[in-house]
Amino acid sequence: RGLGDVYKRQTLRVGGHPFRLLQFHFHSPSEHTESGREHELELHLVHRDELGNYAVVAIFIDEGAELGDTSVLWPYLPEVADEMNHVYEGELVDPTDFLPPSLRHYQYHGSLTTPPCTEAVVWNVLASSVTMSAEQIAQFRELYAANARPVQARAAWCLAPHVIGSVEAPAPSQDPTPR
């Protein structure tokens, strides 16, 4: 079984609405910034509901201690960028192991950051970062030195602090800046 079989057990609720985990991937550098500051990497947990709507959880990654189950995942990085690889049963990865202790986040409506850049995506950018070892970051960047979407203009972005699953209404904010 491929990693996709693990995803089906993961559900995110946004405003009480369920989204199932579709896939996860990393970007270098981060695709969101905080006060203009980029992070080393950014992890996207991409979820989709039964109607095809998307919700993404974005997690900043900075240099530090090794991150969760990436010690299991990293050996499966492709030898050539964009080559498809899977983690097979016996070495299953739980993406929730990559979450920081606090799920406080900023929420806004935007688009996917890779073509076809599908609109109407609920972004949940976590306010706390996690860490990954310098070796892990370097290994990823050997394949994907710069696979992040350029920073997008701030005009009309509506951001507000939340806790995953809360129903608070968004309010204007300055950070983080989306790509």
Side-chain angles (χ1 to χ4, degrees), residues 113-128:
T113 62
T114 56
C117 299
T118 304
E119 296 285 336
V121 175
V122 179
W123 280 92
N124 302 278
V125 182
L126 298 187
S128 298

